């Protein structure tokens, strides 16, 4: 274990030397990875094949390397909006392509394992940054029918390799927590069940032992942020069936990490996890890990919210309540799904003491009310630019109405929301499933506002870094 941990730390500290610098966020496309794959052909160690085409005709690649007897198959991004591991695989290609460092370690790995990788199994989904493929089929429910090109390709490659180990690489929602720990489930594992009885077959037990081994290593890097996905059998899912067909499958899900919506830190953790797994498989170190390690990994629970405002005073019909307000954001794709803006929703109200926020603010001693819509109409952007938002807030407004047919866009960087027609403004009370627009006062004076879920200090509005929403008809 000491030696495995040392290698993991060496990988951690040298990561920047191998990180694929052209992949900078989560919304990279097939066109961004094709030149990176083409580049691998210049290196003798890699064999690059086209495994087939997606429904829209994008090439799906199979990269293989190593000469060892244990076959390991990794596939990423069968869900198009789950790219964290794909980026980590390209970091790993750079690691193996480098001629100078970690020579002994790489030689050791490649003489013990042969590695097969399909990066980005669902390029059509990635193009739209959506989970499903272009005909709206969830590939992870298509392994039995195999109606999609993408799943046929995965199954054909799987059958031709008959891998000993398989890595099913996904991202999971930011709302997952590691048990009730108040931490996000940043990495979740699962050794999928091969049947409804959740039988402990030998392939499944080996996957559990490997996961236990990885848990022990990763606990140094992200303590308290590792969890386990539900092991309920899903008869249509890839991991469950590949386990049934005799492969030790490790499901690896990248969740959330505080202050890192683009998950670049978790990408680095993926890189360390996958290389540590290859090391453990090569040395068979996993085989001596007790199954009890897997058992103690906390379950995925859903106790995370994007924002929690704590201990606000709220008055209705002369009765005072103390409430917490939980807010979540939705990412809305724009510019051909190359970028996004955020849309807020109040997720819960009341005693939220069992939940944890990616960001939390304690408003003890402050009162809250819903942000209202100013009834007087505006007619031009120039008028909005001249508007002092603080005056707006002091009258209890977070929204304005703009009568201007030329206004474009679905969001703005004004610190107030814009309604493009009268009559569809939000409700006049704080409600769940409504956008989060709030006025926060102390001793009657407005101190903070929440505009589309983003907190603004009214004395320091220049530092507000959120986006507001433009509501059409
Ligand atoms: Zn997924």
């Amino acid at each position: 274990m000491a030696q495995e941990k040392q290698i993991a730390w060496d990988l951690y500290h040298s990561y920047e030397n191998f990180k694929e610098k052209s992949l900078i966020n989560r919304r990279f496309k097939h066109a961004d990875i094709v030149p990176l794959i083409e580049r691998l052909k210049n290196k003798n160690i890699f064999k690059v094949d086209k495994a087939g085409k997606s429904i829209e005709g994008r090439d799906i690649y199979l990269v293989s390397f190593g000469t060892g007897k244990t076959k390991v198959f990794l596939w990423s991004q069968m869900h198009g909006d789950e790219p964290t591991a794909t980026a980590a695989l390209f970091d790993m290609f750079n690691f193996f392509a480098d001629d100078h460092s970690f020579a002994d370690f790489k030689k050791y790995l490649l003489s013990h394992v042969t590695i097969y990788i399909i990066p980005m199994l669902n390029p059509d989904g990635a193009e739209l940054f959506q989970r499903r493929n272009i005909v709206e089929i969830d590939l992870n429910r298509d392994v039995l029918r195999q109606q999609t090109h993408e799943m046929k390709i995965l199954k054909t490659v799987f059958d031709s390799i008959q891998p000993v180990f398989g890595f099913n690489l996904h991202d999971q929602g930011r709302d997952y927590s590691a048990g009730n720990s108040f931490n996000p489930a940043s990495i979740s594992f699962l050794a999928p069940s091969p049947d409804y009885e959740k039988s402990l077959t030998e392939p499944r037990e080996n996957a559990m032992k490997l996961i236990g081994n990885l848990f022990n290593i990763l606990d140094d890097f992200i303590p308290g942020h590792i969890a386990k996905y539900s092991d309920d059998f899903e008869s249509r899912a890839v991991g469950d069936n590949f386990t049934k067909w005799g492969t030790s499958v490790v499901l690896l899900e990248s969740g959330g990490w505080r202050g890192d919506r683009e998950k670049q830190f978790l990408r680095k953790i993926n890189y360390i996890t996958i290389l540590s797994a290859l090391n453990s498989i090569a040395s068979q170190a996993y085989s001596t890990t007790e199954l009890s390690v897997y058992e103690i990994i906390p379950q995925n629970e859903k106790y995370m919210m994007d924002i929690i405002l704590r201990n606000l005073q709220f008055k209705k019909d002369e009765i005072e309540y103390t409430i917490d307000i939980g807010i979540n954001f939705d990412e809305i794709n724009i510019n051909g799904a190359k970028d996004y803006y955020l849309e807020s929703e109040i997720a819960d109200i009341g005693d939220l003491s069992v939940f944890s926020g990616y960001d939390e603010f304690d408003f003890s001693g402050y009162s809250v009310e819903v942000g209202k819509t100013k009834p007087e109409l505006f007619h031009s952007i120039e008028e909005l630019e001249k508007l002092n938002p603080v005056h707006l807030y002091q009258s209890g407004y977070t929204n304005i109405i703009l009568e201007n047919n030329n206004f474009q866009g679905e969001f703005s960087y004004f610190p107030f929301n814009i309604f493009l027609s009268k009559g569809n403004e939000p409700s006049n009370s704080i409600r769940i499933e409504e956008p989060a627009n709030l006025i926060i006062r102390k001793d009657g004076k407005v101190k903070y506002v929440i505009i589309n879920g983003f907190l603004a200090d009214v004395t320091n509005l220049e530092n507000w870094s959120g986006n507001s929403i433009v509501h059409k008809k």
Side-chain angles (χ1 to χ4, degrees):
M1 182 48 61
Q3 181 262 359
E4 290 174 69
K5 286 197 174 194
Q6 188 53 53
I7 286 176
W9 277 110
D10 291 346
L11 293 168
Y12 183 90
H13 290 302
S14 60
Y15 172 73
E16 288 299 322
N17 300 338
F18 307 109
K19 181 180 180 179
E20 176 46 55
K21 300 289 194 299
S22 69
L23 304 177
I24 55 170
N25 59 34
R26 290 170 297 146
R27 279 173 171 73
F28 57 86
K29 308 297 180 201
H30 184 259
D32 298 312
I33 66 163
V34 169
L36 305 178
I37 288 175
E38 289 297 323
R39 202 169 70 193
L40 298 179
K41 293 178 180 169
N42 301 328
K43 286 281 173 183
N44 286 331
I45 68 159
F46 298 111
K47 183 168 180 288
V48 178
D49 293 303
K50 288 181 181 173
K53 284 182 189 296
S54 69
I55 293 175
E56 288 197 319
R58 296 185 175 90
D59 289 320
I60 295 170
Y61 293 92
L62 175 64
V63 180
S64 48
F65 51 110
T67 55
K69 75 171 195 323
T70 306
K71 293 177 173 181
V72 183
F73 182 27
L74 305 95
W75 59 94
S76 74
Q77 215 170 344
M78 73 165 66
H79 294 139
D81 58 353
E82 299 180 8
T84 303
T86 304
L89 291 173
F90 282 96
D91 302 335
M92 192 173 81
F93 290 142
N94 289 347
F95 173 78
F96 280 104
D98 178 81
D99 295 323
H100 305 294
S101 42
F102 291 92
D104 293 342
F105 177 58
K106 288 187 285 196
K107 194 172 159 194
Y108 173 75
L109 290 185
L110 296 182
S111 62
H112 286 80
V113 297
T114 303
I115 302 160
Y116 302 84
I117 296 178
I118 294 181
M120 198 187 274
L121 181 64
N122 180 6
D124 300 351
E127 199 68 17
L128 301 169
F129 205 69
Q130 68 176 28
R131 175 184 177 88
R132 291 160 182 260
N133 80 346
I134 197 66
V135 294
E136 293 284 319
I137 290 177
D138 182 341
L139 300 185
N140 208 20
R141 300 290 180 266
D142 191 38
V143 73
L144 298 181
R145 287 194 180 174
Q146 288 185 53
Q147 296 211 87
T148 58
H149 289 197
E150 297 87 358
M151 195 44 59
K152 275 181 203 146
I153 290 166
L154 185 71
K155 180 64 164 55
T156 303
V157 172
F158 175 80
D159 287 342
S160 70
I161 298 170
Q162 298 185 307
V164 178
F165 281 92
F167 288 82
N168 193 5
L169 304 170
H170 290 253
D171 285 71
Q172 67 182 6
R174 286 164 57 85
D175 52 344
Y176 282 112
S177 53
N180 54 5
S181 67
F182 298 102
N183 290 324
S186 305
I187 296 289
S188 289
F189 289 109
L190 175 69
S193 299
D195 50 35
Y196 287 107
E197 291 73 37
K198 307 181 182 182
S199 300
L200 289 180
T201 57
E202 193 187 335
R204 185 167 185 231
E205 279 201 355
N206 285 336
M208 288 174 162
K209 288 176 179 175
L210 177 57
I211 290 167
N213 191 200
L214 294 171
F215 175 80
N216 285 336
I217 295 168
L218 290 185
D219 202 43
D220 276 17
F221 297 90
I222 50 170
H225 290 72
I226 307 166
K228 200 164 53 189
Y229 212 85
S230 162
D231 64 354
D232 288 345
F233 180 64
E234 168 49 75
S235 64
R236 305 163 297 167
V238 170
D240 308 54
N241 283 287
F242 283 10
T243 303
K244 187 166 77 185
W245 298 328
T247 293
S248 297
V249 175
V250 173
L251 173 73
L252 198 172
E253 301 263 0
S254 299
W257 185 258
R258 285 192 172 88
D260 185 26
R261 186 172 272 277
E262 291 302 324
K263 302 204 206 182
Q264 297 304 297
F265 176 66
L266 294 185
R267 163 185 175 179
K268 178 175 174 175
I269 295 297
N270 266 256
Y271 166 86
I272 293 163
T273 306
I274 294 166
L275 282 165
S276 296
L278 295 174
N279 190 25
S280 182
I281 292 167
S283 68
Q284 298 190 317
Y286 69 88
S287 63
T288 59
T289 307
E290 297 292 333
L291 285 176
S292 58
V293 181
Y294 182 84
E295 299 303 332
I296 62 156
I297 301 173
Q299 292 287 337
N300 262 4
E301 302 287 353
K302 287 201 168 180
Y303 289 128
M304 294 301 300
M305 293 178 176
D306 281 318
I307 310 277
I308 298 182
L309 314 173
R310 301 258 183 217
N311 305 313
L312 286 152
Q313 292 305 117
F314 170 69
K315 201 168 174 182
K316 171 94 173 160
D317 301 331
E318 299 310 309
I319 299 173
E320 289 258 16
Y321 303 84
T322 300
I323 56 170
D324 308 325
I325 299 177
I327 300 168
N328 283 329
F329 288 112
D330 247 2
E331 293 182 9
I332 313 293
N333 288 321
I334 49 171
N335 299 333
K338 290 190 178 77
D339 209 345
Y340 65 95
Y341 67 90
L342 294 175
E343 192 168 76
S344 68
E345 182 183 273
I346 295 179
D348 206 346
I349 300 169
D351 176 358
L352 304 187
S353 55
V354 302
F355 292 94
S356 179
Y358 282 89
D359 290 301
E360 297 211 1
F361 305 96
D362 185 359
F363 281 114
S364 299
Y366 289 79
S367 68
V368 67
E369 69 209 47
V370 74
K372 297 188 174 69
T373 306
K374 187 176 168 67
E376 294 82 13
L377 304 183
F378 292 83
H379 295 93
S380 70
I381 297 294
E382 292 70 39
E383 274 183 279
L384 299 186
E385 281 165 352
K386 280 189 210 138
L387 174 64
N388 183 343
V390 178
H391 294 163
L392 203 62
Y393 308 148
Q394 279 164 349
S395 307
Y397 303 130
T398 54
N399 317 315
I400 63 96
I401 303 168
L402 176 67
E403 282 216 325
N404 183 322
N405 291 332
N406 297 323
F407 193 85
Q408 299 287 329
E410 307 159 39
F411 70 101
S412 91
Y413 296 115
F414 285 118
F416 44 80
N417 301 293
I418 299 172
F419 285 82
L420 289 178
S421 67
K422 213 171 153 37
N424 67 343
E425 300 92 60
S427 63
N428 266 347
S429 59
I430 303 172
R431 289 181 173 277
I432 63 164
E433 296 177 12
E434 293 273 330
N437 297 300
L438 306 167
I439 303 273
I440 296 171
R441 297 179 194 263
K442 186 159 199 175
D443 304 325
K445 289 214 166 59
V446 178
K447 298 289 186 186
Y448 295 93
V449 290
I450 303 285
I451 304 294
N452 183 36
F454 294 96
L455 180 74
D457 175 345
V458 299
T459 63
N460 196 2
L461 272 184
E462 309 77 53
N463 277 2
W464 186 71
S465 59
N467 68 263
S468 57
I469 300 294
V470 177
H471 297 269
K472 306 233 157 91
K473 272 199 185 8

PDB file of all heavy atoms in Angstrom, residues 42 63 88 182 328:
ATOM      1  N   ASN A  42       1.362   8.812 -34.126  1.00  0.00           N
ATOM      2  CA  ASN A  42       2.809   9.051 -34.269  1.00  0.00           C
ATOM      3  C   ASN A  42       3.635   8.301 -33.234  1.00  0.00           C
ATOM      4  O   ASN A  42       4.856   8.297 -33.291  1.00  0.00           O
ATOM      5  CB  ASN A  42       3.113  10.543 -34.136  1.00  0.00           C
ATOM      6  CG  ASN A  42       2.376  11.349 -35.175  1.00  0.00           C
ATOM      7  OD1 ASN A  42       2.137  10.875 -36.285  1.00  0.00           O
ATOM      8  ND2 ASN A  42       1.976  12.561 -34.821  1.00  0.00           N
ATOM      9  N   VAL A  63      -8.496   2.890 -28.858  1.00  0.00           N
ATOM     10  CA  VAL A  63      -7.038   3.048 -28.682  1.00  0.00           C
ATOM     11  C   VAL A  63      -6.565   1.910 -27.790  1.00  0.00           C
ATOM     12  O   VAL A  63      -7.131   1.694 -26.711  1.00  0.00           O
ATOM     13  CB  VAL A  63      -6.705   4.406 -28.021  1.00  0.00           C
ATOM     14  CG1 VAL A  63      -5.191   4.556 -27.846  1.00  0.00           C
ATOM     15  CG2 VAL A  63      -7.280   5.551 -28.842  1.00  0.00           C
ATOM     16  N   ALA A  88      -9.627  13.065 -18.635  1.00  0.00           N
ATOM     17  CA  ALA A  88      -8.572  12.363 -17.881  1.00  0.00           C
ATOM     18  C   ALA A  88      -7.896  11.300 -18.738  1.00  0.00           C
ATOM     19  O   ALA A  88      -6.683  11.061 -18.601  1.00  0.00           O
ATOM     20  CB  ALA A  88      -9.175  11.743 -16.624  1.00  0.00           C
ATOM     21  N   PHE A 182     -22.169  15.764   4.791  1.00  0.00           N
ATOM     22  CA  PHE A 182     -22.100  17.186   4.397  1.00  0.00           C
ATOM     23  C   PHE A 182     -21.033  17.447   3.339  1.00  0.00           C
ATOM     24  O   PHE A 182     -20.660  18.591   3.091  1.00  0.00           O
ATOM     25  CB  PHE A 182     -21.886  18.106   5.617  1.00  0.00           C
ATOM     26  CG  PHE A 182     -23.014  18.045   6.609  1.00  0.00           C
ATOM     27  CD1 PHE A 182     -22.896  17.331   7.773  1.00  0.00           C
ATOM     28  CD2 PHE A 182     -24.212  18.697   6.336  1.00  0.00           C
ATOM     29  CE1 PHE A 182     -23.950  17.264   8.682  1.00  0.00           C
ATOM     30  CE2 PHE A 182     -25.270  18.634   7.234  1.00  0.00           C
ATOM     31  CZ  PHE A 182     -25.133  17.911   8.406  1.00  0.00           C
ATOM     32  N   ASN A 328     -30.934  25.494  -6.134  1.00  0.00           N
ATOM     33  CA  ASN A 328     -30.131  24.735  -7.112  1.00  0.00           C
ATOM     34  C   ASN A 328     -30.108  25.467  -8.443  1.00  0.00           C
ATOM     35  O   ASN A 328     -31.025  26.225  -8.768  1.00  0.00           O
ATOM     36  CB  ASN A 328     -30.699  23.332  -7.318  1.00  0.00           C
ATOM     37  CG  ASN A 328     -30.338  22.408  -6.174  1.00  0.00           C
ATOM     38  OD1 ASN A 328     -29.286  22.565  -5.557  1.00  0.00           O
ATOM     39  ND2 ASN A 328     -31.213  21.468  -5.879  1.00  0.00           N
TER      40      ASN A 328
END
